Amino acid sequence: MIADEARRSARTGGLTATLTAMHATLADRILPCGPTGCCVLPEPALHDAGRVWTGDTIAALDPVAVERLGTVETPDGPLAAVRYRGVPGPAGTPAPWPDWLAALAGLRLGLSEALLDATVAHLGDRRVGDTPLVLQQMIKGALADAVTEQIEIKVRLTGTPPPAGSLAWLHRQITTADRMLLRLLGASGFTADGPGAVVNASELLADAWIGGEEWAP
Amino acid sequence: MIELDDRLGAARAHARDWARDLRSTALELDRDPDTVYRCLDNPAVRHLSTMLIPAPWLPERTLIGGYRFDGMTAMERVVFAEEIAAGDAGMMLASPGASLSGVLVDLLADQEQKEWFYGRLLAAPTWTFFALTEPDHGSDAAAMGTRLDPDGEGGLLLRGAKRYIGNGARAQVGVVFARDRPGPLGATAVLVETGAPGFKAEPIPTIGLRGAQLSAINLDGVPVPEGRVLGRHLSPTRRGVWSGVQMFNRLRPGVAAIALGIARSAHDYVTEQRGSLSKADRLRWERTGRRIDGVRQLIWRAAAIVDAQPANGHLASAAKARAARLAEEVTLEALEYFGPGARLTQPMLDKLIRDARGVEFMEGTGNIQRLNTFQGLVQGKLDRD
Ligand SMILES: Cc1cc2nc3c(=O)[nH]c(=O)nc-3n(C[C@H](O)[C@H](O)[C@H](O)COP(=O)(O)OP(=O)(O)OC[C@H]3O[C@@H](n4cnc5c(N)ncnc54)[C@H](O)[C@@H]3O)c2cc1C
């Protein structure tokens, strides 16, 4: 799945559905692990995995080497977090890393865009005195900053996917845009069943596959 | 540069020792907010449970490093708050004690009310809550809808709803703000027992700071005796907005210090867990350390100003906004010193990242603090000489 498809899918269909669809496009029910073996997927996507990405290549999966790390809560239900501790197989087919990271950025950007829509609606409903919050100048400025951030990310993700190093930066930029919006949601963005939970899951996804800038493949 | 005197230096050193213990229960409390009930003997929790009880009610307070501390100054509170929050901000907010209500009681309560309130706190570990925010009115407290009306028989009745109230579901007593007459100044605070008829509180699960057990409170005709109206001996203006402003000014440096503690904790975490850093990384991380030190100075200065002039909370606003942002930035930056998956494999770091997000909203969001700072600027109260 290319970044723009993932973005559109996530904006309307949400995190779990898009991640499931992204995983379904990989051949052989593969377990797509990040450079340290971490992986976050919907539970059904973990079943019957026969092959795994370790490091840069694809290898046969040793089921006993799949360690459960816990769950990542989202409003659509939990995702499973695992870590593959198997030894990398002999060099095989290269893992489609850059494509995965670009699609992941698309997915996260789509979630961020949905968050912007939700934030504008929320601020339109809330008031200070008689004025909707969305008409306060500071709020307008903050929304303008967030949407500018998102558009810049979107432009960079359109067409040829950027190199992996730039993708690491884009993922950070998405986190920045999300945090700008979360502040505008007030405490309603801090509850476990609210939009802040999606942002937390989105940050965890980025961290599993690309966290730690200097670790980018 | 501000330096601590011997007394506050002793407070800091002791609280730093306590904080180590808090780290061992931090993840448990994050999973299960009831963990606090098993931690009542922890020295930090014991200290918090008697903070803001003034000396006349507790003359024989335990000595810490040869000094007694009652938490009555903002300066003292920020020193303890940074260290305790560096151990676990969740426990800082989960602990029993007078907490936010204590500042208001100190400011507004008459002798009888103080005896009642402090008496409860001294008899057993007692959780308190402080209910201002409403589902539809957060920053805009002047639009508050909760009502305090006469019951027709000499007492009063509370009706309304509050939301995001720390410790609401586990508290025994607390303060509720309500409107007793129309207009922006028509607000009053009353002492309420959570066992009163019509009082209902339910936890709201949150992303971080789960120890605080934020709660939704429903007030369905809760009876309030006349004697529980705080500041009943003062004029309506002085017990309403005037007291609110003073109280928030006094509290704000402490909230800033919680954010600072979270940032410090993330900084220490990298230093402890990620032994060998490249020279460039080490220099970058040292620079972050200096930012933390700078914000600490800002908070200390803000606390000193509020202690000297409680009506001047503008610098406290600047410090709070700055510290809340620092906590978010430093916890995210800490992640960059570890490989992918650090949030999944290092639960303590993950918790700090989640906790940091919450301080933004406590005691006024960043925008509200910026508006206060601006007021300080145009009113010439920012001490720029
Ligand atoms: C961990 C935690 C603990 C808390 N504890 C308590 C407690 O014990 N007791 C209690 O009463 N409350 C408590 N709160 C609630 C807190 O006080 C509110 O969340 C806060 O006041 C903001 O209100 P809100 O969430 O409704 O956001 P809103 O007021 O809806 O704000 C949404 C956004 O609009 C911005 N905004 C609002 N007004 C303006 C304006 N005039 N100009 C520009 N921007 C503006 C805000 O900055 C924010 O970005 C707690 C919250 C948290 C997260």
Side-chain angles (χ1 to χ4, degrees):
Chain A
M1 189 185 264
I2 61 163
D4 204 51
E5 268 177 83
R7 178 182 69 79
R8 287 171 197 279
S9 159
R11 182 165 175 180
T12 50
L15 195 166
T16 305
T18 308
L19 195 55
T20 304
M22 271 171 62
H23 182 253
T25 61
L26 302 174
D28 300 337
R29 297 194 64 78
I30 226 159
L31 195 64
C33 295
T36 55
C38 290
C39 169
V40 177
L41 285 178
E43 188 74 38
L46 291 177
H47 298 155
D48 320 318
R51 317 221 328 132
V52 59
W53 296 357
T54 54
D56 294 340
T57 56
I58 297 175
L61 177 134
D62 173 5
V64 288
V66 179
E67 179 200 355
R68 282 271 166 177
L69 290 177
T71 50
V72 172
E73 301 298 334
T74 82
D76 297 344
L79 303 172
V82 298
R83 182 172 199 173
Y84 187 69
R85 291 195 173 276
V87 275
T93 336
W97 250 109
D99 293 347
W100 180 261
L101 294 184
L104 192 67
L107 177 152
R108 295 189 64 224
L109 178 59
L111 296 175
S112 186
E113 289 174 343
L115 179 68
L116 173 63
D117 297 338
T119 307
V120 172
H122 177 80
L123 292 167
D125 285 345
R126 283 182 93 71
R127 291 176 175 272
V128 49
D130 294 332
T131 320
L133 271 180
V134 75
L135 295 182
Q136 294 290 322
Q137 289 209 356
M138 281 173 103
I139 302 262
K140 290 180 187 172
L143 286 169
D145 286 347
V147 75
T148 308
E149 204 78 36
Q150 289 181 345
I151 290 169
E152 185 185 323
I153 300 162
K154 187 172 144 198
V155 172
R156 299 200 61 188
L157 275 176
T158 307
T160 318
S166 306
L167 278 166
W169 168 250
L170 280 188
H171 274 285
R172 277 186 50 188
Q173 223 178 335
I174 295 168
T175 301
T176 304
D178 283 353
R179 295 287 183 117
M180 288 166 145
L181 293 168
L182 278 182
R183 290 184 204 114
L184 296 177
L185 283 168
S188 72
F190 196 55
T191 62
D193 60 357
V198 180
V199 172
N200 192 49
S202 167
E203 286 182 15
L204 282 158
L205 291 185
D207 186 56
W209 279 293
I210 203 166
E213 224 178 347
E214 75 262 39
W215 297 76
Chain B
M1 206 172 112
I2 305 175
E3 289 185 56
L4 297 181
D5 61 16
D6 283 351
R7 179 172 175 276
L8 289 172
R12 194 174 191 207
H14 272 74
R16 194 164 282 193
D17 276 348
W18 302 342
R20 272 182 215 113
D21 273 3
L22 292 181
R23 264 180 225 148
S24 62
T25 51
L27 292 172
E28 219 181 318
L29 182 72
D30 183 55
R31 275 189 300 273
D32 174 13
D34 285 351
T35 303
V36 64
Y37 298 121
R38 294 196 293 281
C39 301
L40 297 178
D41 282 335
N42 178 289
V45 175
R46 276 216 309 266
H47 176 73
L48 290 167
S49 69
T50 59
M51 244 172 99
L52 285 157
I53 301 179
W57 277 275
L58 188 55
E60 293 308 308
R61 199 184 302 268
T62 321
L63 289 170
I64 297 172
Y67 299 96
R68 288 189 215 285
F69 295 94
D70 57 12
M72 299 314 286
T73 64
M75 194 65 195
E76 190 184 310
R77 289 195 294 273
V78 298
V79 170
F80 278 109
E82 178 193 339
E83 298 304 328
I84 297 176
D88 179 15
M91 189 63 89
M92 168 97 210
L93 299 173
S95 293
S99 188
L100 310 181
S101 302
V103 177
L104 198 68
V105 167
D106 174 46
L107 201 63
L108 279 188
D110 61 25
Q111 188 69 10
E112 199 183 318
Q113 289 167 335
K114 285 184 179 170
E115 255 154 40
W116 182 80
F117 184 77
Y118 299 135
R120 299 277 310 245
L121 266 77
L122 288 168
T126 302
W127 280 264
T128 62
F129 70 88
F130 176 88
L132 175 66
T133 307
E134 299 188 348
D136 293 332
H137 310 284
S139 308
D140 191 14
M144 164 167 49
T146 297
R147 298 197 52 87
L148 182 69
D149 295 319
D151 66 359
E153 294 166 21
L156 299 156
L157 287 177
L158 265 181
R159 284 200 188 83
K162 298 283 177 182
R163 198 166 166 81
Y164 310 123
I165 309 308
N167 289 325
R170 58 161 81 101
Q172 289 84 38
V173 292
V175 170
V176 175
F177 282 82
R179 173 172 298 291
D180 58 351
R181 51 202 190 295
L185 300 180
T188 291
V190 293
L191 290 165
V192 171
E193 287 177 280
T194 57
F199 186 101
K200 205 169 125 218
E202 279 178 355
I204 305 171
T206 49
I207 306 281
L209 295 177
R210 291 187 186 140
Q213 195 159 80
L214 294 198
S215 305
I217 294 180
N218 197 49
L219 304 157
D220 184 11
V222 178
V224 179
E226 283 270 21
R228 300 279 157 79
V229 176
L230 282 171
R232 58 184 166 153
H233 58 302
L234 302 172
S235 73
T237 349
R238 280 179 77 81
R239 69 169 185 250
V241 172
W242 174 85
S243 67
V245 169
Q246 299 248 334
M247 184 204 61
F248 287 122
N249 289 350
R250 292 189 198 197
L251 283 173
R252 212 172 293 129
V255 179
I258 294 176
L260 180 71
I262 294 173
R264 242 255 332 275
S265 190
H267 197 260
D268 293 348
Y269 187 88
V270 173
T271 310
E272 285 156 22
Q273 304 292 322
R274 188 76 174 79
S276 56
L277 290 177
S278 71
K279 186 165 178 226
D281 278 348
R282 211 187 57 241
L283 289 176
R284 181 156 74 105
W285 203 229
E286 283 171 4
R287 205 159 58 224
T288 301
R290 284 194 288 276
R291 264 179 74 206
I292 295 173
D293 293 341
V295 176
R296 180 180 303 110
Q297 287 282 313
L298 186 60
I299 294 173
W300 284 356
R301 179 75 190 135
I305 288 185
V306 162
D307 283 334
Q309 311 160 30
N312 186 349
H314 306 286
L315 196 63
S317 279
K320 199 264 155 168
R322 177 56 71 87
R325 193 58 66 89
L326 179 84
E328 278 200 75
E329 287 173 1
V330 175
T331 50
L332 283 176
E333 192 189 343
L335 215 42
E336 289 170 18
Y337 292 84
F338 299 91
R343 282 197 60 180
L344 297 171
T345 55
Q346 315 214 28
M348 194 63 96
L349 189 53
D350 175 62
K351 182 182 131 56
L352 289 169
I353 289 170
R354 289 183 286 107
D355 285 355
R357 266 176 51 178
V359 199
E360 161 78 11
F361 312 109
M362 290 167 63
E363 211 288 287
T365 62
N367 278 2
I368 299 304
Q369 309 302 348
R370 288 156 86 197
L371 291 169
N372 284 349
T373 307
F374 170 77
Q375 284 302 325
L377 171 68
V378 293
Q379 292 169 6
K381 294 201 176 143
L382 275 182
D383 186 25
R384 294 167 61 236
D385 288 344

